[in-house]
């Protein structure tokens, strides 16, 4: 039984990959579900370092952040009192229209476009890696081990408990390869719910660690010489009857023609959307060969260094294979808003379908050993090697305006340049420390 008036936070997962919002008394919920809480356009320019980048909105304008009770989580203390109640939501104009820089509305628009262009829906799962500081599992020899899992077991149990209580279905929890590194995966859901749950999961993990006086960090890379923390986004397509349509047992790669065009869209547009998938300056320390992340815009068969990987399936039953078969986009990290990440993947894939792009060459080799002309012959390029270069590719990609609108494009570029300005003159180690403090 709650002992006092509770606060509900209405929040957005913003361009900086941060969850920001405002609280209101629980008793006002019916009203707030209609009216939302007031929001300021220039908030979109608050970078992850809390420095405000150049804003076209200045001090002007008003918006409403409308909480959505289907994208919520509650955390109770041991007495049963809710100590944290958050609802993610959409930012609307005062006229009730989706705001052009609302990340969640941008994802909804991308999913609508896929529906309109190809009559397809998505099934999506986000896979997260993170590192815990404050005394667990730092020991060498713990990678993938039971000993490593044991050191994080209490936290893992609490993460699963918080997930289950908040409608997120846990899949696996393990001690990952890196120092203090763990991974948690969850069962797939439709595109919007999956992105909501990615935001929620990151927060539940932080809470579970904090309850143990530890800190969980999803920073893309903690130290330049260590492994990265990836976000791997698994996507599959369903037809208008909800039937899985990613797999074709007759095709050499296993991909249906539609899914092959979707994959081709992602690999073709990957350089231009990378700044949305891997949006920090240090993301590019992670996206280098031999880190099992992604360094080229390739489609790989069961290759953990491919940007887009055709995943293995663990069944012999044709129906189960059809349902499990998916594409895994590995060039992502948790400095991004999951909404923007998934929106960019969906737009690129949809463009591939709209243009009827042929299947990309499927690679099964170490691309870092090949020279440029060999790669070019397969239509493959090295991904941008810094955020600056990724932003140039983003700015030069004409489709970005078509998919995201001119305002968002310009705002995003200025946001990211504002973030880069904070890092000027810092060494890679110092940059990692700055991002570690944030993510
Ligand atoms: N840590 C790797 C990354 O940065 C992924 C390792 C794996 O799970 O394959 O994406
Ligand atoms: Mg992993």
């Amino acid at each position: 039984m709650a002992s006092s008036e509770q606060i509900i936070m209405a929040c957005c997962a913003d361009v900086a990959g941060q969850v920001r919002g405002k609280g209101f008394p629980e008793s006002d919920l019916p009203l707030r579900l209609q009216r939302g809480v007031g929001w300021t356009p220039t908030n979109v320019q608050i970078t992850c370092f809390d420095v405000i980048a150049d804003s076209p909105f200045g001090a002007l304008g008003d918006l409403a952040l409308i909480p959505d009770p289907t994208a919520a989580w509650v955390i109770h203390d041991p007495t049963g009192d809710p100590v944290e109640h958050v609802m993610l939501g959409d930012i609307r104009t005062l006229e009730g229209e989706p705001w052009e820089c609302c990340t969640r509305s941008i994802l909804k628009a991308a999913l609508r476009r896929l529906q309109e262009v190809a009559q397809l829906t998505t099934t999506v799962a986000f896979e997260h890696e993170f590192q815990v500081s404050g005394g667990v599992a730092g020991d060498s020899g713990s990678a993938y081990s039971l000993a490593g899992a044991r050191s994080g077991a209490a936290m893992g149990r609490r993460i699963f408990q918080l997930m289950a209580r908040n409608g997120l279905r846990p899949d696996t929890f393990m001690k990952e390869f890196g120092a203090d590194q763990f991974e948690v995966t969850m069962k797939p859901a439709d595109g919007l719910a999956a992105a909501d749950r990615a935001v929620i999961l990151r927060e539940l993990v932080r809470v579970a660690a904090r309850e143990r006086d530890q800190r969980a960090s999803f920073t893309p890379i903690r130290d330049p010489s260590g492994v990265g923390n990836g976000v791997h986004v698994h996507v599959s397509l369903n037809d208008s009857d909800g039937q899985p349509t990613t797999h074709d047992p007759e095709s050499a790669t296993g991909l249906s023609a539609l899914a092959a065009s979707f994959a081709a869209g992602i690999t073709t547009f990957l350089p231009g959307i990378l700044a949305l998938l891997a949006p920090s300056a240090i993301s590019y320390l992670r996206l280098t060969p031999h880190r099992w992340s992604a360094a080229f815009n390739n489609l790989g068969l069961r290759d953990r260094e491919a940007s887009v990987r055709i995943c293995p399936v663990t069944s012999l039953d044709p129906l189960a294979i059809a349902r499990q078969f998916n594409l895994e986009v590995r060039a992502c990290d948790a400095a991004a808003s999951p909404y923007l990440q998934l929106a960019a993947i969906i737009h690129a894939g949809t463009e591939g379908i709209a243009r009827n792009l042929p299947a990309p060459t499927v690679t099964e080799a170490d691309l870092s050993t090949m020279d440029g002309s060999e790669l070019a012959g397969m239509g493959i390029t090295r991904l941008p090697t810094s955020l600056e270069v990724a932003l140039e590719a983003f700015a030069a990609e004409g489709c970005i305006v078509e998919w995201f609108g001119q305002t968002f494009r310009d705002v995003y570029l200025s946001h990211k340049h504002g973030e880069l300005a904070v890092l000027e003159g810092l060494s890679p180690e110092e940059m990692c420390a700055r991002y570690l403090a944030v993510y």
Side-chain angles (χ1 to χ4, degrees):
M1 187 51 200
S3 53
S4 57
E5 173 91 282
Q6 296 303 312
I7 293 180
I8 300 179
M9 293 284 294
C11 289
C12 59
D14 68 8
V15 162
Q18 296 292 86
V19 177
R20 296 186 221 261
K22 285 185 183 175
F24 56 85
E26 190 179 26
S27 52
D28 283 353
L29 181 60
L31 179 81
R32 295 294 182 182
L33 289 176
Q34 302 297 318
R35 284 197 206 153
V37 295
W39 201 244
T40 307
T42 284
N43 286 358
V44 71
Q45 293 305 56
I46 304 176
T47 66
C48 64
F49 303 121
D50 281 0
V51 171
I52 302 180
D54 277 350
S55 167
F57 312 112
L60 302 176
D62 282 293
L63 299 161
L65 169 50
I66 317 275
D68 179 347
T70 69
W73 72 92
V74 187
I75 292 163
H76 297 88
D77 71 13
T79 71
D81 269 2
V83 286
E84 181 172 305
H85 189 172
V86 183
M87 290 183 188
L88 299 171
D90 293 354
I91 306 174
R92 307 245 172 95
T93 65
L94 297 188
E95 291 70 45
E97 296 299 318
W99 185 45
E100 52 219 313
C101 298
C102 166
T103 57
R104 195 164 183 258
S105 306
I106 285 172
L107 174 58
K108 286 181 178 176
L111 293 167
R112 248 189 337 265
R113 178 164 166 256
L114 176 63
Q115 176 78 61
E116 282 160 16
V117 168
Q119 294 74 55
L120 295 173
T121 60
T122 53
T123 298
V124 176
F126 283 73
E127 181 181 324
H128 286 91
E129 293 169 342
F130 59 95
Q131 281 165 299
V132 178
S133 53
V136 288
D139 340 345
S140 53
S142 66
Y144 301 116
S145 71
L146 177 59
R150 209 175 268 145
S151 67
M155 180 185 62
R157 277 198 301 277
R158 179 64 171 152
I159 292 171
F160 276 8
Q161 183 189 56
L162 290 173
M163 289 174 76
R165 286 186 181 165
N166 287 289
L168 278 64
R169 294 188 303 139
D171 188 45
T172 58
F173 176 75
M174 67 161 180
K175 172 68 188 68
E176 247 291 357
F177 177 73
D180 312 316
Q181 191 180 38
F182 293 87
E183 174 175 306
V184 59
T185 60
M186 53 189 155
K187 300 272 196 299
D190 72 78
L192 181 66
D196 285 336
R197 290 173 192 181
V199 178
I200 296 170
L201 178 87
R202 294 173 198 183
E203 297 309 317
L204 297 183
V205 168
R206 290 184 216 282
V207 167
R210 206 180 50 214
E211 287 174 352
R212 285 164 180 74
D213 295 322
Q214 292 163 349
R215 183 171 177 268
S217 172
F218 292 81
T219 188
I221 189 160
R222 200 168 71 169
D223 133 29
S225 61
V227 298
N229 292 305
V231 169
H232 303 163
V233 185
H234 296 258
V235 183
S236 58
L237 304 169
N238 310 305
D239 67 16
S240 45
D241 299 322
Q243 293 306 312
T245 184
T246 318
H247 187 241
D248 176 358
E250 305 296 314
S251 91
T253 56
L255 286 176
S256 65
L258 266 178
S261 289
F262 189 85
I266 301 172
T267 55
T268 303
F269 294 100
L270 194 54
I273 61 171
L274 196 62
L276 294 166
L277 307 187
S280 75
I282 58 168
S283 299
Y284 297 82
L285 299 172
R286 170 181 165 254
L287 297 179
T288 48
H290 306 143
R291 283 177 192 276
W292 289 29
S293 58
F296 299 87
N297 67 335
N298 63 317
L299 174 67
L301 186 64
R302 301 179 187 178
D303 171 8
R304 287 192 173 73
E305 294 219 5
S307 285
V308 186
R309 182 170 86 118
I310 303 174
C311 280
V313 286
T314 53
S315 176
L316 296 173
D317 163 44
L319 272 178
I321 293 175
R323 251 193 308 276
Q324 277 183 25
F325 207 71
N326 69 83
L327 292 166
E328 177 188 34
V329 184
R330 297 175 64 88
C332 305
D333 65 53
S337 152
Y339 300 121
L340 291 181
Q341 245 159 9
L342 187 56
I345 293 168
I346 300 289
H347 273 304
T350 303
E351 194 69 34
I353 293 177
R355 296 187 189 191
N356 207 10
L357 294 182
T361 307
V362 177
T363 61
E364 285 181 87
D366 181 356
L367 302 186
S368 71
T369 62
M370 298 183 190
D371 64 32
S373 59
E374 206 177 339
L375 291 170
M378 299 190 288
I380 294 172
T381 54
R382 177 77 172 86
L383 292 178
T385 53
S386 68
L387 180 57
E388 288 87 341
V389 177
L391 289 171
E392 278 167 27
F394 173 86
E397 177 51 67
C399 286
I400 295 292
V401 172
E402 214 175 292
W403 302 340
F404 293 91
Q406 187 74 45
T407 303
F408 176 81
R409 172 200 178 273
D410 295 350
V411 158
Y412 194 73
L413 283 169
S414 131
H415 180 116
K416 286 289 147 184
H417 285 298
E419 177 179 330
L420 283 170
V422 176
L423 300 169
E424 237 170 68
L426 299 188
S427 68
E429 288 76 12
E430 288 166 332
M431 284 193 220
C432 285
R434 290 301 301 261
Y435 281 107
L436 178 62
V438 171
Y439 295 108

